[in-house]
Amino acid sequence: MKSLKLIGLALGASFALSASAFAQDVTVAVAGPMTGGESAFGRQMKNGAEMAVADINAAGGVNGKKLALSVEDDACDPKQARSIAEKIAGAKIPFVAGHYCSSSSIPASEAYADGNVLQITPASTNPLFTERKLWNVARVCGRDDQQGLIAAQYIAKNYKGKNIAILNDKTTYGKGLADETKKALNKAGVTEKMYESYNKGDKDFNAIVSRLKRDNIDLVYVGGYHQESGLILRQMRDQGLKTVLMAGDALADKEYASITGPAGEGTLFTFGPDPRNKPTAKKIVEAFKAKNIDPEGYTLYTYAAMQVWSQAAKKAGTTDAKKVMAAMKAGKWDTVIGPVEYDAKGDIKQIDYVVYKWDAKGGYAEINPKGS
């Protein structure tokens, strides 16, 4: 009986030590569309976050503690995003890399602010995210008023005197990007011949395509996500239209090519300079490829968000969100996407959108590296 009691005490002590060691981990989160129409981008974010956490831990962790990762699914739904944010705040998680959709990041940010959670979005580009004077928000990507300007400059230069149409999907991201592009186009002296909206999730675009055909549209700019953009492109080609489709960064995933097939050749979109090609990313890209993962789109941006937070937390000597944010805005951080430095709002100072073109083989490449 005595030996059994001793064994029990030993086991109890072992479990207590194990629990104690686990309790010393710092949990961080990545939140995005792990399911739903934009799950390809949720997968990018998850891949980036997992690799970053593994690499940070391999290098000794943060302030003597290892990181544990919580992966949260918002399905790009604003209500689900708010619920996740409240859950993360309630768990006293100090940092989240997320979300993907601006319509998720914006409502979630308020719950994070109330719950003392620092939020860095790798992908939400709507200007409103950083324009509300919240203390806890930042991003490692650019803004729609920046990428809309680049799209407009490209259209004005290469489609001067042509018929232009602008579509949007009524979402915070899609309409915001379409409106910024329209504003910049109009300022450049280009007036669109057609401005129309549709609903995210729509499958039948034949009525819109018929209007594009009637108005002899040479280029249609789509403020929306890759699923609908791909269907619009296919239905244009089905009706014999050779109209060029251009969109924003939501086309930066090979799933777009799987929707369009070879018909996607010639599609244009704006995105930051491909971080996969940067010297700062070489080793990480090789590590991803060794795992049979192509770190496209927002994979490396999510990795960079984790890097910024971990470096700032080390500099601050704490994971307290407000102290880490103060350190973030005061410093310059070396990341896989290059040096990152912040303004007072939480926007990065270094951003330079470029235009990409899809080819017939399901790949894409920069066509104006200098934003020309």
Side-chain angles (χ1 to χ4, degrees):
M1 181 67 74
K2 189 175 180 181
S3 61
L4 285 174
K5 187 179 284 188
L6 286 171
I7 291 169
L9 286 170
L11 283 171
S14 172
F15 287 135
L17 284 169
S18 175
S20 174
F22 183 77
Q24 293 303 307
D25 285 349
V26 174
T27 300
V28 294
V30 59
M34 305 302 159
T35 60
E38 313 315 319
S39 61
F41 292 95
R43 184 167 59 250
Q44 290 177 5
M45 293 172 68
K46 181 174 179 284
N47 287 338
E50 286 178 342
M51 179 75 85
V53 165
D55 289 348
I56 291 165
N57 283 341
V62 175
N63 299 332
K65 295 181 180 181
K66 294 295 179 76
L67 300 182
L69 182 66
S70 174
V71 179
E72 301 293 342
D73 176 25
D74 68 7
C76 268
D77 175 75
K79 289 182 180 177
Q80 199 164 319
R82 173 80 193 202
S83 176
I84 283 169
E86 290 171 352
K87 173 186 170 185
I88 289 171
K92 300 194 182 306
I93 292 172
F95 166 66
V96 59
H99 296 224
Y100 172 70
C101 292
S102 293
S103 56
S104 289
S105 281
I106 291 171
S109 63
E110 295 161 5
Y112 292 136
D114 292 342
N116 204 38
V117 180
L118 193 158
Q119 177 187 10
I120 303 178
T121 175
S124 294
T125 51
N126 190 282
L128 189 61
F129 177 71
T130 48
E131 290 289 345
R132 293 161 302 145
K133 298 182 178 178
L134 291 180
W135 67 268
N136 66 315
V137 296
R139 51 182 142 212
V140 288
C141 57
R143 294 165 44 128
D144 289 333
D145 46 1
Q146 295 165 329
Q147 76 169 315
L149 175 62
I150 295 300
Q153 288 174 346
Y154 182 88
I155 294 167
K157 178 181 177 181
N158 295 281
Y159 289 85
K160 189 176 182 180
K162 302 289 187 179
N163 294 327
I164 308 300
I166 300 175
L167 307 178
N168 79 82
D169 66 357
K170 303 179 187 176
T171 67
T172 304
Y173 164 73
K175 188 173 188 309
L177 181 55
D179 287 349
E180 291 292 351
T181 304
K182 170 180 161 60
K183 184 166 67 176
L185 267 176
N186 295 166
K187 192 174 180 180
V190 177
T191 302
E192 69 282 359
K193 193 167 184 180
M194 171 182 165
Y195 185 94
E196 188 61 73
S197 61
Y198 59 89
N199 294 309
K200 188 175 184 300
D202 282 354
K203 299 286 192 293
D204 183 356
F205 296 98
N206 283 302
I208 286 177
V209 171
S210 295
R211 282 195 61 193
L212 295 172
K213 193 172 186 178
R214 184 193 69 195
D215 291 346
N216 296 312
I217 298 300
D218 296 293
L219 180 141
V220 56
Y221 185 86
V222 180
Y225 293 93
H226 70 300
Q227 298 270 6
E228 293 78 20
S229 296
L231 292 174
I232 291 168
L233 188 283
R234 276 176 49 185
Q235 289 169 38
M236 286 198 304
R237 299 296 180 261
D238 289 345
Q239 287 200 32
L241 269 74
K242 295 183 179 179
T243 305
V244 172
L245 186 145
M246 186 175 192
D249 55 304
L251 263 60
D253 188 274
K254 287 187 174 63
E255 198 171 272
Y256 175 76
S258 71
I259 296 168
T260 64
E265 181 181 9
T267 296
L268 305 171
F269 69 97
T270 46
F271 192 49
D274 194 336
R276 291 175 298 182
N277 299 331
K278 294 188 176 184
T280 49
K282 190 173 186 296
K283 287 184 179 179
I284 307 303
V285 169
E286 288 172 356
F288 273 113
K289 288 185 175 177
K291 292 177 174 284
N292 293 317
I293 295 171
D294 179 6
E296 64 177 333
Y298 284 106
T299 307
L300 295 176
Y301 284 82
T302 308
Y303 189 103
M306 289 283 178
Q307 284 182 303
V308 169
W309 176 82
S310 64
Q311 290 175 37
K314 289 176 187 176
K315 182 76 173 178
T318 178
T319 56
D320 177 78
K322 289 181 180 174
K323 291 177 181 176
V324 175
M325 180 59 88
M328 269 176 55
K329 290 182 177 177
K332 188 172 184 179
W333 313 103
D334 294 324
T335 79
V336 71
I337 62 172
V340 170
E341 195 173 1
Y342 285 99
D343 65 15
K345 294 177 183 177
D347 289 316
I348 57 174
K349 295 180 180 179
Q350 311 86 348
I351 186 67
D352 185 21
Y353 278 99
V354 295
V355 178
Y356 291 80
K357 181 185 281 189
W358 280 93
D359 60 35
K361 295 179 180 178
Y364 54 81
E366 297 176 19
I367 59 170
N368 68 333
K370 295 181 181 178
S372 59

